[in-house]
Amino acid sequence: AQSVTQLGSHVSVSEGALVLLRCNYSSSVPPYLFWYVQYPNQGLQLLLKYTSAATLVKGINGFEAEFKKSETSFHLTKPSAHMSDAAEYFCAVSPQAGAGSYQLTFGKGTKLSVIP
Amino acid sequence: GAVVSQHPSRVICKSGTSVKIECRSLDFQATTMFWYRQFPKQSLMLMATSNEGSKATYEQGVEKDKFLINHASLTLSTLTVTSAHPEDSSFYICSAPLAGVHTDTQYFGPGTRLTVL
Protein backbone atom coordinates (compact mmCIF):
# COMPACT_ATOMS: atom_id res chain seq x y z
CA ALA A 1 0.00 0.00 0.00
CA GLN A 2 1.10 3.52 -0.69
CA SER A 3 0.21 6.88 0.72
CA VAL A 4 1.32 10.47 0.43
CA THR A 5 1.19 13.19 3.04
CA GLN A 6 1.55 16.83 2.10
CA LEU A 7 2.17 19.04 5.09
CA GLY A 8 0.29 22.28 4.81
CA SER A 9 -2.81 22.62 2.71
CA HIS A 10 -1.97 26.25 2.06
CA VAL A 11 1.42 27.95 1.81
CA SER A 12 1.97 31.66 1.23
CA VAL A 13 5.27 33.15 0.19
CA SER A 14 6.37 36.56 -0.97
CA GLU A 15 7.43 37.05 -4.54
CA GLY A 16 11.13 36.29 -4.78
CA ALA A 17 11.17 34.17 -1.63
CA LEU A 18 12.01 30.50 -1.33
CA VAL A 19 9.25 28.03 -2.05
CA LEU A 20 9.21 24.84 0.01
CA LEU A 21 6.34 22.38 -0.33
CA ARG A 22 6.62 19.26 1.79
CA CYS A 23 5.81 15.71 0.80
CA ASN A 24 6.30 12.51 2.72
CA TYR A 25 5.41 9.12 1.38
CA SER A 26 4.80 5.63 2.60
CA SER A 27 5.44 2.70 0.33
CA SER A 28 6.10 -1.00 0.80
CA VAL A 29 8.07 -1.13 -2.45
CA PRO A 30 10.56 1.27 -4.02
CA PRO A 31 8.49 4.11 -5.38
CA TYR A 32 8.46 6.53 -8.20
CA LEU A 33 7.61 10.02 -6.99
CA PHE A 34 6.06 12.93 -8.82
CA TRP A 35 5.07 16.52 -8.38
CA TYR A 36 2.22 17.90 -10.42
CA VAL A 37 0.85 21.43 -10.67
CA GLN A 38 -2.78 22.29 -11.28
CA TYR A 39 -4.06 25.70 -12.30
CA PRO A 40 -7.73 26.53 -11.70
CA ASN A 41 -10.14 24.41 -13.70
CA GLN A 42 -7.34 22.67 -15.52
CA GLY A 43 -5.81 19.22 -15.51
CA LEU A 44 -2.47 18.32 -14.01
CA GLN A 45 0.89 19.17 -15.46
CA LEU A 46 3.98 17.20 -14.53
CA LEU A 47 6.62 19.33 -12.82
CA LEU A 48 9.19 16.64 -12.17
CA LYS A 49 9.61 13.00 -11.30
CA TYR A 50 11.97 10.72 -9.42
CA THR A 51 12.52 7.35 -11.04
CA SER A 52 15.45 5.92 -9.07
CA ALA A 53 18.17 7.78 -10.90
CA ALA A 54 19.60 10.96 -9.39
CA THR A 55 18.09 11.82 -6.03
CA LEU A 56 18.04 15.54 -6.84
CA VAL A 57 15.56 16.05 -9.62
CA LYS A 58 15.20 19.22 -11.62
CA GLY A 59 11.92 20.02 -13.27
CA ILE A 60 10.22 22.72 -15.25
CA ASN A 61 9.77 26.34 -14.21
CA GLY A 62 12.82 26.27 -11.92
CA PHE A 63 11.45 23.70 -9.50
CA GLU A 64 13.46 20.86 -8.06
CA ALA A 65 12.94 18.11 -5.51
CA GLU A 66 15.22 15.82 -3.56
CA PHE A 67 14.42 12.21 -2.79
CA LYS A 68 15.54 11.32 0.72
CA LYS A 69 14.94 7.67 1.41
CA SER A 70 15.95 7.90 5.07
CA GLU A 71 13.33 10.58 5.62
CA THR A 72 10.80 9.15 3.13
CA SER A 73 10.49 12.65 1.78
CA PHE A 74 10.33 14.33 -1.59
CA HIS A 75 10.03 18.04 -0.86
CA LEU A 76 9.58 20.51 -3.70
CA THR A 77 11.61 23.72 -3.77
CA LYS A 78 12.15 26.78 -5.89
CA PRO A 79 14.70 29.43 -4.95
CA SER A 80 12.62 32.42 -5.96
CA ALA A 81 8.84 32.47 -6.20
CA HIS A 82 7.11 34.11 -9.13
CA MET A 83 3.53 35.28 -9.28
CA SER A 84 2.83 32.70 -11.96
CA ASP A 85 3.72 29.92 -9.49
CA ALA A 86 0.45 30.43 -7.64
CA ALA A 87 -1.40 27.15 -8.10
CA GLU A 88 -2.25 23.85 -6.45
CA TYR A 89 0.60 21.37 -6.15
CA PHE A 90 0.18 17.63 -5.78
CA CYS A 91 2.73 15.08 -4.74
CA ALA A 92 2.11 11.56 -6.01
CA VAL A 93 3.63 8.11 -5.72
CA SER A 94 3.46 4.97 -7.83
CA PRO A 95 5.15 1.58 -7.66
CA GLN A 96 8.30 1.28 -9.71
CA ALA A 97 7.25 -1.77 -11.67
CA GLY A 98 4.78 -4.57 -11.91
CA ALA A 99 1.04 -4.67 -12.05
CA GLY A 100 -0.50 -1.33 -11.32
CA SER A 101 2.75 0.47 -11.85
CA TYR A 102 0.94 3.24 -13.65
CA GLN A 103 -1.44 3.92 -10.79
CA LEU A 104 -0.78 7.14 -8.97
CA THR A 105 -1.68 7.85 -5.37
CA PHE A 106 -1.99 11.56 -4.73
CA GLY A 107 -1.52 13.68 -1.68
CA LYS A 108 -4.24 16.13 -0.72
CA GLY A 109 -2.48 19.00 -2.38
CA THR A 110 -0.93 22.27 -1.27
CA LYS A 111 -2.23 25.56 -2.52
CA LEU A 112 0.60 28.00 -3.08
CA SER A 113 -0.14 31.71 -2.89
CA VAL A 114 2.46 34.25 -3.94
CA ILE A 115 2.23 37.68 -2.37
CA PRO A 116 3.46 40.60 -4.45
CA GLY B 1 4.82 16.15 -25.44
CA ALA B 2 1.88 13.79 -25.48
CA VAL B 3 -1.58 15.34 -25.38
CA VAL B 4 -4.76 14.08 -23.79
CA SER B 5 -8.03 15.84 -24.47
CA GLN B 6 -11.39 15.67 -22.75
CA HIS B 7 -14.79 16.59 -24.02
CA PRO B 8 -16.81 18.38 -22.90
CA SER B 9 -14.86 20.71 -20.67
CA ARG B 10 -17.99 21.68 -18.81
CA VAL B 11 -21.45 20.19 -18.65
CA ILE B 12 -24.60 21.00 -16.72
CA CYS B 13 -27.37 18.44 -16.62
CA LYS B 14 -30.61 17.74 -14.83
CA SER B 15 -30.84 15.16 -12.10
CA GLY B 16 -31.69 11.72 -13.47
CA THR B 17 -30.08 12.20 -16.85
CA SER B 18 -26.90 10.56 -18.13
CA VAL B 19 -23.75 12.33 -19.17
CA LYS B 20 -20.91 11.01 -21.32
CA ILE B 21 -17.37 12.30 -20.98
CA GLU B 22 -14.73 11.48 -23.58
CA CYS B 23 -11.02 11.11 -23.03
CA ARG B 24 -8.75 10.96 -26.06
CA SER B 25 -5.03 10.47 -26.46
CA LEU B 26 -4.31 12.68 -29.44
CA ASP B 27 -0.85 11.62 -30.54
CA PHE B 28 -0.22 8.29 -28.90
CA GLN B 29 -1.96 5.03 -28.20
CA ALA B 30 -3.11 4.21 -24.72
CA THR B 31 -4.13 0.69 -23.78
CA THR B 32 -4.80 1.96 -20.30
CA MET B 33 -6.45 5.14 -19.14
CA PHE B 34 -7.37 6.27 -15.68
CA TRP B 35 -10.41 8.18 -14.47
CA TYR B 36 -10.24 10.40 -11.43
CA ARG B 37 -12.71 12.64 -9.68
CA GLN B 38 -11.78 15.69 -7.72
CA PHE B 39 -14.07 17.42 -5.26
CA PRO B 40 -13.52 21.09 -4.53
CA LYS B 41 -10.30 21.74 -2.67
CA GLN B 42 -9.52 18.05 -2.48
CA SER B 43 -7.13 15.68 -4.14
CA LEU B 44 -7.70 13.41 -7.08
CA MET B 45 -9.28 10.11 -6.23
CA LEU B 46 -8.83 7.25 -8.64
CA MET B 47 -12.20 5.91 -9.74
CA ALA B 48 -11.30 3.26 -12.24
CA THR B 49 -8.76 1.93 -14.68
CA SER B 50 -9.97 1.72 -18.25
CA ASN B 51 -8.50 -1.11 -20.31
CA GLU B 52 -8.77 -1.28 -24.08
CA GLY B 53 -10.60 -4.41 -25.12
CA SER B 54 -11.56 -5.53 -21.64
CA LYS B 55 -13.61 -4.51 -18.66
CA ALA B 56 -12.64 -1.58 -16.55
CA THR B 57 -11.30 -2.10 -13.06
CA TYR B 58 -13.10 -0.06 -10.43
CA GLU B 59 -11.74 1.15 -7.15
CA GLN B 60 -13.46 0.15 -3.96
CA GLY B 61 -16.59 2.13 -3.33
CA VAL B 62 -17.11 3.19 -6.95
CA GLU B 63 -20.35 1.90 -8.45
CA LYS B 64 -19.59 0.31 -11.79
CA ASP B 65 -23.23 0.44 -12.87
CA LYS B 66 -23.35 4.14 -12.23
CA PHE B 67 -20.03 5.06 -13.79
CA LEU B 68 -19.88 3.16 -17.06
CA ILE B 69 -16.50 3.03 -18.73
CA ASN B 70 -15.89 1.98 -22.29
CA HIS B 71 -12.42 1.87 -23.80
CA ALA B 72 -13.47 1.52 -27.40
CA SER B 73 -10.15 2.07 -29.09
CA LEU B 74 -6.50 2.70 -28.35
CA THR B 75 -7.14 6.44 -28.27
CA LEU B 76 -10.56 6.78 -26.70
CA SER B 77 -12.10 6.02 -23.33
CA THR B 78 -15.53 7.24 -22.26
CA LEU B 79 -17.03 7.68 -18.83
CA THR B 80 -20.82 7.77 -18.63
CA VAL B 81 -22.39 9.00 -15.44
CA THR B 82 -25.81 7.35 -15.43
CA SER B 83 -28.82 8.75 -13.61
CA ALA B 84 -26.76 11.63 -12.37
CA HIS B 85 -27.53 13.25 -9.04
CA PRO B 86 -26.28 16.47 -7.47
CA GLU B 87 -23.74 14.56 -5.39
CA ASP B 88 -22.10 13.44 -8.64
CA SER B 89 -21.16 17.04 -9.35
CA SER B 90 -17.40 17.09 -9.49
CA PHE B 91 -14.34 17.63 -11.64
CA TYR B 92 -13.56 14.49 -13.63
CA ILE B 93 -10.05 14.04 -14.97
CA CYS B 94 -8.61 11.30 -17.13
CA SER B 95 -5.00 10.34 -17.67
CA ALA B 96 -3.07 8.01 -19.92
CA PRO B 97 0.44 6.63 -19.55
CA LEU B 98 2.84 6.86 -22.46
CA ALA B 99 3.78 3.22 -22.37
CA GLY B 100 6.87 1.80 -23.93
CA VAL B 101 8.89 5.00 -23.88
CA HIS B 102 8.32 6.66 -20.55
CA THR B 103 6.41 4.07 -18.63
CA ASP B 104 6.41 6.19 -15.53
CA THR B 105 4.85 9.23 -17.13
CA GLN B 106 1.14 9.89 -17.30
CA TYR B 107 -0.48 12.64 -19.26
CA PHE B 108 -3.59 14.25 -17.88
CA GLY B 109 -6.57 15.66 -19.67
CA PRO B 110 -7.77 19.17 -18.85
CA GLY B 111 -10.75 17.84 -16.91
CA THR B 112 -14.53 18.02 -17.20
CA ARG B 113 -16.59 20.03 -14.77
CA LEU B 114 -19.92 18.26 -14.19
CA THR B 115 -22.73 20.10 -12.47
CA VAL B 116 -25.94 18.20 -11.77
CA LEU B 117 -28.92 20.36 -10.97
Side-chain angles (χ1 to χ4, degrees):
Chain A
Q2 299 184 308
S3 66
V4 176
T5 301
Q6 290 184 241
L7 295 177
S9 59
H10 194 176
V11 171
S12 292
V13 299
S14 298
E15 189 175 16
L18 171 71
V19 175
L20 170 60
L21 304 182
R22 299 179 186 275
C23 173
N24 288 89
Y25 70 92
S26 173
S27 178
S28 57
V29 297
Y32 286 165
L33 293 157
F34 307 81
W35 275 99
Y36 287 88
V37 61
Q38 184 183 33
Y39 297 99
N41 293 312
Q42 294 187 27
L44 274 67
Q45 180 181 4
L46 180 66
L47 276 177
L48 48 80
K49 60 185 178 183
Y50 165 76
T51 56
S52 71
T55 57
L56 181 62
V57 181
K58 295 185 183 299
I60 63 172
N61 301 340
F63 285 93
E64 63 181 37
E66 185 173 9
F67 172 68
K68 292 186 177 180
K69 184 178 180 180
S70 61
E71 298 177 7
T72 61
S73 68
F74 191 57
H75 302 329
L76 180 71
T77 61
K78 181 174 180 178
S80 177
H82 191 272
M83 295 299 294
S84 61
D85 295 327
E88 188 93 24
Y89 292 80
F90 292 95
C91 182
V93 61
S94 76
Q96 279 196 8
S101 61
Y102 294 141
Q103 289 193 6
L104 291 168
T105 300
F106 286 89
K108 292 187 175 182
T110 298
K111 183 176 181 180
L112 176 66
S113 298
V114 181
I115 304 168
Chain B
V3 177
V4 174
S5 70
Q6 283 185 241
H7 178 80
S9 59
R10 186 182 296 267
V11 58
I12 301 173
C13 69
K14 293 182 178 181
S15 184
T17 61
S18 294
V19 174
K20 179 184 286 188
I21 302 170
E22 294 185 348
C23 177
R24 292 181 185 274
S25 55
L26 297 185
D27 50 1
F28 67 102
Q29 295 183 335
T31 56
T32 301
M33 290 183 176
F34 297 96
W35 286 97
Y36 298 84
R37 67 185 299 181
Q38 184 182 29
F39 291 105
K41 299 182 179 181
Q42 294 189 29
S43 187
L44 283 75
M45 299 299 295
L46 180 66
M47 297 175 65
T49 302
S50 174
N51 304 298
E52 190 271 336
S54 64
K55 292 182 179 180
T57 304
Y58 291 82
E59 295 300 301
Q60 190 174 8
V62 178
E63 299 176 60
K64 62 180 181 180
D65 295 329
K66 182 170 183 61
F67 298 99
L68 300 179
I69 292 173
N70 182 25
H71 200 136
S73 73
L74 288 172
T75 60
L76 173 64
S77 175
T78 60
L79 169 68
T80 301
V81 183
T82 63
S83 186
H85 287 92
E87 57 265 29
D88 298 324
S89 298
S90 188
F91 195 50
Y92 292 87
I93 302 174
C94 71
S95 73
L98 187 60
V101 178
H102 301 289
T103 57
D104 50 88
T105 300
Q106 287 194 35
Y107 293 91
F108 285 80
T112 297
R113 175 76 60 192
L114 171 63
T115 302
V116 184
L117 302 177

mmCIF file of all heavy atoms in Angstrom, chain A residues 7 25 30 34-35 48 62 82 86 99 109 116:
data_model
loop_
_atom_site.group_PDB
_atom_site.id
_atom_site.type_symbol
_atom_site.label_atom_id
_atom_site.label_comp_id
_atom_site.label_asym_id
_atom_site.label_seq_id
_atom_site.Cartn_x
_atom_site.Cartn_y
_atom_site.Cartn_z
ATOM 1 N N LEU A 7 2.317 18.201 3.907
ATOM 2 C CA LEU A 7 2.170 19.037 5.092
ATOM 3 C C LEU A 7 1.834 20.465 4.681
ATOM 4 O O LEU A 7 2.578 21.094 3.937
ATOM 5 C CB LEU A 7 3.461 19.006 5.903
ATOM 6 C CG LEU A 7 3.823 17.645 6.489
ATOM 7 C CD1 LEU A 7 5.150 17.704 7.213
ATOM 8 C CD2 LEU A 7 2.721 17.146 7.419
ATOM 9 N N TYR A 25 6.113 10.246 1.979
ATOM 10 C CA TYR A 25 5.415 9.116 1.378
ATOM 11 C C TYR A 25 5.586 7.867 2.240
ATOM 12 O O TYR A 25 6.491 7.771 3.070
ATOM 13 C CB TYR A 25 5.938 8.853 -0.040
ATOM 14 C CG TYR A 25 7.348 8.306 -0.045
ATOM 15 C CD1 TYR A 25 7.589 6.933 -0.038
ATOM 16 C CD2 TYR A 25 8.446 9.166 -0.029
ATOM 17 C CE1 TYR A 25 8.877 6.430 -0.011
ATOM 18 C CE2 TYR A 25 9.732 8.672 0.007
ATOM 19 C CZ TYR A 25 9.947 7.306 0.018
ATOM 20 O OH TYR A 25 11.222 6.821 0.055
ATOM 21 N N PRO A 30 9.899 0.043 -3.534
ATOM 22 C CA PRO A 30 10.563 1.268 -4.020
ATOM 23 C C PRO A 30 9.626 2.060 -4.915
ATOM 24 O O PRO A 30 9.039 1.516 -5.846
ATOM 25 C CB PRO A 30 11.769 0.719 -4.792
ATOM 26 C CG PRO A 30 12.051 -0.596 -4.156
ATOM 27 C CD PRO A 30 10.699 -1.157 -3.783
ATOM 28 N N PHE A 34 6.383 11.888 -7.846
ATOM 29 C CA PHE A 34 6.058 12.928 -8.820
ATOM 30 C C PHE A 34 5.551 14.173 -8.105
ATOM 31 O O PHE A 34 4.971 14.100 -7.015
ATOM 32 C CB PHE A 34 4.947 12.445 -9.768
ATOM 33 C CG PHE A 34 5.213 11.133 -10.439
ATOM 34 C CD1 PHE A 34 4.985 9.933 -9.783
ATOM 35 C CD2 PHE A 34 5.674 11.092 -11.746
ATOM 36 C CE1 PHE A 34 5.228 8.713 -10.396
ATOM 37 C CE2 PHE A 34 5.915 9.880 -12.377
ATOM 38 C CZ PHE A 34 5.701 8.701 -11.702
ATOM 39 N N TRP A 35 5.754 15.287 -8.746
ATOM 40 C CA TRP A 35 5.073 16.516 -8.380
ATOM 41 C C TRP A 35 4.323 17.019 -9.610
ATOM 42 O O TRP A 35 4.888 17.121 -10.701
ATOM 43 C CB TRP A 35 6.053 17.590 -7.917
ATOM 44 C CG TRP A 35 6.431 17.503 -6.473
ATOM 45 C CD1 TRP A 35 7.559 16.962 -5.934
ATOM 46 C CD2 TRP A 35 5.668 17.999 -5.369
ATOM 47 N NE1 TRP A 35 7.541 17.077 -4.568
ATOM 48 C CE2 TRP A 35 6.401 17.715 -4.187
ATOM 49 C CE3 TRP A 35 4.441 18.665 -5.245
ATOM 50 C CZ2 TRP A 35 5.947 18.069 -2.914
ATOM 51 C CZ3 TRP A 35 4.001 19.009 -3.990
ATOM 52 C CH2 TRP A 35 4.746 18.714 -2.834
ATOM 53 N N LEU A 48 7.972 17.443 -12.204
ATOM 54 C CA LEU A 48 9.189 16.642 -12.166
ATOM 55 C C LEU A 48 8.855 15.265 -11.615
ATOM 56 O O LEU A 48 7.779 15.054 -11.064
ATOM 57 C CB LEU A 48 10.274 17.307 -11.309
ATOM 58 C CG LEU A 48 9.889 17.819 -9.913
ATOM 59 C CD1 LEU A 48 9.850 16.698 -8.901
ATOM 60 C CD2 LEU A 48 10.869 18.896 -9.455
ATOM 61 N N GLY A 62 11.858 26.010 -12.982
ATOM 62 C CA GLY A 62 12.817 26.274 -11.920
ATOM 63 C C GLY A 62 12.618 25.464 -10.655
ATOM 64 O O GLY A 62 13.288 25.694 -9.652
ATOM 65 N N HIS A 82 7.646 33.168 -8.139
ATOM 66 C CA HIS A 82 7.112 34.112 -9.130
ATOM 67 C C HIS A 82 5.598 34.097 -9.022
ATOM 68 O O HIS A 82 5.010 33.093 -8.614
ATOM 69 C CB HIS A 82 7.558 33.683 -10.533
ATOM 70 C CG HIS A 82 7.298 34.709 -11.587
ATOM 71 N ND1 HIS A 82 6.099 34.780 -12.274
ATOM 72 C CD2 HIS A 82 8.078 35.697 -12.068
ATOM 73 C CE1 HIS A 82 6.155 35.772 -13.126
ATOM 74 N NE2 HIS A 82 7.330 36.347 -13.022
ATOM 75 N N ALA A 86 1.655 30.621 -8.448
ATOM 76 C CA ALA A 86 0.454 30.430 -7.638
ATOM 77 C C ALA A 86 -0.438 29.379 -8.278
ATOM 78 O O ALA A 86 -0.906 29.548 -9.413
ATOM 79 C CB ALA A 86 -0.300 31.746 -7.496
ATOM 80 N N ALA A 99 2.447 -4.971 -11.841
ATOM 81 C CA ALA A 99 1.041 -4.669 -12.049
ATOM 82 C C ALA A 99 0.653 -3.417 -11.289
ATOM 83 O O ALA A 99 1.002 -3.246 -10.133
ATOM 84 C CB ALA A 99 0.182 -5.846 -11.579
ATOM 85 N N GLY A 109 -2.766 17.758 -1.679
ATOM 86 C CA GLY A 109 -2.480 19.000 -2.382
ATOM 87 C C GLY A 109 -2.108 20.140 -1.454
ATOM 88 O O GLY A 109 -2.532 20.191 -0.295
ATOM 89 N N PRO A 116 2.592 39.650 -3.744
ATOM 90 C CA PRO A 116 3.457 40.602 -4.446
ATOM 91 C C PRO A 116 4.281 41.465 -3.483
ATOM 92 O O PRO A 116 3.902 41.685 -2.342
ATOM 93 C CB PRO A 116 2.492 41.464 -5.254
ATOM 94 C CG PRO A 116 1.140 41.066 -4.868
ATOM 95 C CD PRO A 116 1.175 39.871 -3.989
#
